[in-house]
Amino acid sequence: MASSILRNPMLSSPTTITTPSLPSFSSKPSPLSFRFPPSHHRSSLRIKSLRLSCSLSDPSPPLRRRRPEYIPNRISDPNYVRVFDTTLRDGEQSPGATLTSKEKLDIARQLAKLGVDVIEAGFPAASKDDFEAVKTIAETVGNAVDGDGYVPVICGLSRCNKRDIETAWEAVKYAKRPRIHTFIATSDIHLEYKLKKSKDEVIEIARNMVKFARSLGCEDVEFSPEDAGRSEREFLYQILGEVIKAGATTLNIPDTVGITLPSEFGQLIADIKANTPGIENVIISTHCQNDLGLSTANTLSGAHSGARQLEVTINGIGERAGNASLEEVVMAIKCRGDHVLGGLYTGIDTRHIVMTSKMVEDYTGMQTQPHKAIVGANAFAHESGIHQDGMLKHKGTYEIICPEEIGLERSNDAGIVLGKLSGRHALKDRLTELGYVLDDEQLSSIFWRFKSVAERKKRVTDADIIALVSDEVFQPEALWKLLDIQITCGTLGLSTATVKLADADGKEHVACSMGTGPVDSAYKAVDLVVKEPATLLEYSMNAVTEGIDAIATTRVLIRGNNNYSTTNAITGEEVQRTFSGTGAGMDIVVSSVKAYVGALNKMLDFKENSTTKIPSQNNKVPA
Ligand code: KIV
């Protein structure tokens, strides 16, 4: 047994806990890390009598204003801001964030529940997999009109060339509100080194390609001058004026490299608004990367200067340092829109924020930092005595958003609410309080897992429940499923593992292998069954609660040895795909194997769906 010193947020002094011996590996994993569960599920929940109202925002269900009717190039209410979510396109470009088609569809459905105006569902020309995913989303989510007439626009990205645009249109045209988003770079540095084209040539291409998109029958065309943040102003006004004449309905202004400061970006939007001919006939949009950590601030500054579409991602994921995060931008507008932003508002039902954030976190394997604004584990934790005292006297002393508004509910107990006698109803209620809205089937599978944990553990905490949801609900479609595992390990000999897996048809396969440790031997046995060689790039494990009976969650990142790649929309490069997997269980080897099998399932799904790869064009732009 190894022991680790951990800081328990509930106690003022460090706690020592013992952890099982660390597994060893043949590949190069990162060290195991154990940490305590998200602290808000405990420390904030300890505070009693929390049903006072917050000072700045009201949690009571929706007094949301009616969303104006969707017209591509016009919004009847000047204060309404469209939310364009690009989690499935820019977000999926994050290293390791590869999503399966089913995961993309789940996320798109969740984005529709959230009420985003536009879903950028992918870059259809990147691969057959991307194409199919966008098409499926267009056919399903893009046709699910709700009682208020709301249905999200489904958008596909394309470079400024005919083949990309045609492919994007073929994918999105099934939606009720299809949109093509086409882009070409406009900064001097991109023109000279990447495109090797003159300004006049780029204007010609942009104009022709927007016209071409319209000629296919698409009435909603977005154009982006890539790297607008570093583009020469006069050139921007000119190219934007030309694409408006050619039929663009939204002009998106990307700060592609995240270099601008909020005042600068706001001025850029104001200048474009003041100087571009025909701008009054289109919607101005922002797309701010987060390289200097300013994407949310820049986005808000853009909105303040007149942008009425904001491009964002869930949890702020995206290329490099990511994008403006939906939850930050939306909650900033909700909290301060009236006071500071002249009455701006969005159509987002913020009560779905937590669920969406967790789904994206689990599916992409990109964990949100504990202190992430709005959705981080500590976002509503009040740990210091002074803050807790203030909270008890009046919540508004330290809290500007009621957790209920984003889908979290507080109860009056310490968060340790369930045990082996708790029923389905109690579990459902607690899940709802934690922000999870699950259907009956999902609830059933969680309930049986919960019962089996409760049999072995006296108290099932919020953190345990969250780990079970990740393990049961947010999993890729199972091509392979772990049935049983038997391990021998220790100091007396080589570790040996026997695993039993079921394939997609339910047929059982058994293999046995030796290795340098229990996880290594188990992974090798899995490899013997699945026969899809992969390299383990990262491995980490967390104990979700303190104590020897804690549930362990494992996250792995793998790369297929068969080089699965896709085209990066922005650079045009072939990028090696990596695949993440997570697993949870009270046995650390079971948890580890589940994570590995999950990652392999993702990789196999990608392999199956991307047999036809569309070759990279290195951003060459045929007219
Ligand atoms: O960052 C960027 O410039 C983009 C555009 C395609 C909008 O993602």
Side-chain angles (χ1 to χ4, degrees):
M1 293 281 199
S3 68
S4 327
I5 305 276
L6 297 157
R7 194 165 167 276
N8 181 342
M10 299 284 286
L11 306 169
S12 51
S13 57
T15 318
T16 305
I17 66 160
T18 52
T19 62
S21 308
L22 306 186
S24 51
F25 305 87
S26 53
S27 52
K28 235 181 70 206
S30 52
L32 288 178
S33 63
F34 281 81
R35 67 178 168 85
F36 278 106
S39 56
H40 77 271
H41 298 304
R42 295 183 298 135
S43 44
S44 64
L45 289 164
R46 279 187 310 152
I47 302 165
K48 307 235 176 201
S49 309
L50 288 171
R51 300 235 174 238
L52 301 164
S53 67
C54 284
S55 56
L56 288 175
S57 51
D58 180 357
S60 48
L63 279 177
R64 286 185 297 138
R65 279 180 263 185
R66 218 181 150 71
R67 188 192 303 266
E69 185 199 352
Y70 185 76
I71 303 167
N73 67 331
R74 199 154 49 80
I75 305 175
S76 58
D77 183 342
N79 282 342
Y80 184 76
V81 181
R82 284 183 186 158
V83 174
F84 175 116
D85 182 276
T86 182
T87 306
L88 297 176
R89 199 277 298 169
D90 204 320
E92 212 228 357
Q93 282 169 216
S94 320
T98 309
L99 296 163
T100 67
S101 309
K102 177 190 169 281
E103 289 169 341
K104 288 181 190 171
L105 185 58
D106 283 355
I107 292 175
R109 288 206 168 103
Q110 189 62 29
L111 290 171
K113 273 193 200 156
L114 203 53
V116 305
D117 300 271
V118 186
I119 297 175
E120 188 162 51
F123 171 37
S127 68
K128 186 166 171 282
D129 184 52
D130 282 79
F131 176 84
E132 290 300 336
V134 177
K135 183 164 174 263
T136 307
I137 291 169
E139 285 167 339
T140 53
V141 183
N143 280 283
V145 185
D146 79 5
D148 293 335
Y150 159 78
V151 62
V153 172
I154 306 297
C155 174
L157 183 71
S158 67
R159 290 166 293 189
C160 254
N161 68 63
K162 283 188 174 174
R163 199 180 52 74
D164 270 22
I165 293 171
E166 267 166 350
T167 312
W169 179 240
E170 282 308 308
V172 297
K173 69 181 183 191
Y174 301 95
K176 249 198 153 55
R177 294 179 179 151
R179 180 187 288 192
I180 295 172
H181 175 192
T182 191
F183 72 97
I184 190 165
T186 47
S187 63
D188 287 348
I189 186 167
H190 279 237
L191 261 58
E192 186 177 345
Y193 295 101
K194 188 175 81 169
L195 298 178
K196 300 190 181 6
K197 301 228 175 270
S198 69
K199 289 191 166 113
D200 285 346
E201 284 173 305
V202 168
I203 290 181
E204 184 67 8
I205 291 164
R207 186 196 299 125
N208 287 344
M209 289 306 103
V210 169
K211 264 194 200 150
F212 178 65
R214 290 296 303 248
S215 76
L216 297 174
C218 182
E219 289 171 3
D220 195 351
V221 176
E222 172 170 333
F223 174 78
S224 292
E226 188 195 358
D227 204 13
R230 290 189 298 177
S231 300
E232 195 213 308
R233 285 287 209 277
E234 291 299 325
F235 178 46
L236 274 182
Y237 307 149
Q238 203 188 345
I239 191 166
L240 294 175
E242 289 301 319
V243 296
I244 293 171
K245 280 194 263 167
T249 44
T250 297
L251 299 184
N252 178 44
I253 310 302
D255 180 14
T256 303
V257 292
I259 195 172
T260 60
L261 301 190
S263 54
E264 256 183 308
F265 191 75
Q267 192 58 51
L268 174 61
I269 299 294
D271 288 349
I272 286 171
K273 197 171 173 201
N275 295 296
T276 304
I279 197 80
E280 62 287 356
N281 300 320
V282 296
I283 307 297
I284 305 176
S285 165
T286 65
H287 180 107
C288 299
Q289 299 289 151
N290 200 32
D291 297 66
L292 293 175
L294 294 170
S295 55
T296 296
N298 286 351
T299 302
L300 293 171
S301 179
H304 196 44
S305 295
R308 288 296 176 267
Q309 173 182 285
L310 308 179
E311 302 201 354
V312 289
T313 61
I314 301 295
N315 300 338
I317 64 170
E319 287 264 21
R320 305 184 307 279
N323 278 80
S325 93
L326 179 144
E327 58 279 5
E328 291 172 18
V329 168
V330 165
M331 290 313 292
I333 291 177
K334 188 168 184 186
C335 286
R336 311 304 312 280
D338 273 342
H339 299 86
V340 189
L341 296 169
L344 296 187
Y345 70 102
T346 73
I348 298 297
D349 184 345
T350 59
R351 293 168 304 162
H352 294 287
I353 282 180
V354 169
M355 179 69 178
T356 316
S357 163
K358 296 215 198 282
M359 183 184 270
V360 169
E361 182 173 3
D362 280 332
Y363 279 164
T364 59
M366 302 197 66
Q367 281 171 328
T368 21
Q369 70 214 41
H371 55 289
K372 164 85 179 64
I374 317 293
V375 293
N378 295 345
F380 293 95
H382 300 280
E383 216 175 296
S384 86
I386 295 174
H387 285 207
Q388 290 188 351
D389 180 58
M391 284 290 291
L392 288 168
K393 289 176 177 149
H394 193 289
K395 277 199 294 182
T397 51
Y398 289 103
E399 204 164 77
I400 61 161
I401 296 167
C402 288
E404 290 86 347
E405 277 191 81
I406 58 161
L408 278 175
E409 274 189 37
R410 288 178 283 201
S411 63
N412 285 345
D413 49 49
I416 301 169
V417 284
L418 301 175
K420 68 177 178 182
L421 297 178
S422 306
R424 219 180 136 87
H425 230 85
L427 178 66
K428 187 173 179 188
D429 286 352
R430 192 68 202 125
L431 283 164
T432 310
E433 285 172 355
L434 292 170
Y436 293 105
V437 186
L438 303 182
D439 61 32
D440 284 349
E441 203 184 315
Q442 290 169 327
L443 182 66
S444 291
S445 52
I446 292 290
F447 183 62
W448 293 116
R449 286 288 300 278
F450 158 74
K451 277 290 187 196
S452 108
V453 171
E455 286 297 324
R456 286 185 272 170
K457 237 179 149 212
K458 243 207 295 229
R459 290 169 157 183
V460 183
T461 65
D462 291 341
D464 294 321
I465 296 172
I466 290 168
L468 292 181
V469 175
S470 298
D471 198 50
E472 269 315 308
V473 180
F474 298 136
Q475 283 294 330
E477 214 137 42
L479 297 169
W480 290 99
K481 199 166 182 281
L482 174 67
L483 296 179
D484 290 309
I485 181 160
Q486 177 74 43
I487 301 283
T488 317
C489 65
T491 53
L492 290 179
L494 271 179
S495 297
T496 313
T498 307
V499 297
K500 192 197 274 178
L501 301 180
D503 66 20
D505 301 323
K507 192 164 164 235
E508 294 179 3
H509 302 250
V510 179
C512 175
S513 180
M514 289 190 298
T516 52
V519 174
D520 183 46
S521 52
Y523 282 17
K524 282 183 172 143
V526 169
D527 287 342
L528 289 175
V529 174
V530 176
K531 297 189 182 64
E532 188 61 41
T535 303
L536 182 65
L537 301 173
E538 284 174 26
Y539 173 100
S540 64
M541 182 179 281
N542 295 314
V544 300
T545 48
E546 66 269 51
I548 198 65
D549 58 356
I551 289 185
T553 58
T554 311
R555 176 182 181 271
V556 299
L557 190 69
I558 62 168
R559 184 173 49 225
N561 297 355
N562 288 335
N563 286 344
Y564 299 116
S565 62
T566 187
T567 308
N568 180 300
I570 307 300
T571 61
E573 283 167 5
E574 287 290 296
V575 219
Q576 282 264 316
R577 281 295 193 175
T578 53
F579 305 88
S580 65
T582 53
M586 294 178 80
D587 178 312
I588 59 164
V589 184
V590 174
S591 160
S592 302
V593 174
K594 280 184 166 183
Y596 187 56
V597 173
L600 287 171
N601 279 336
K602 264 195 177 183
M603 189 168 80
L604 291 167
D605 181 276
F606 185 82
K607 178 184 173 188
E608 198 175 299
N609 291 312
S610 44
T611 38
T612 320
K613 241 184 320 92
I614 295 163
S616 154
Q617 299 175 38
N618 271 331
N619 264 352
K620 290 208 182 79
V621 277

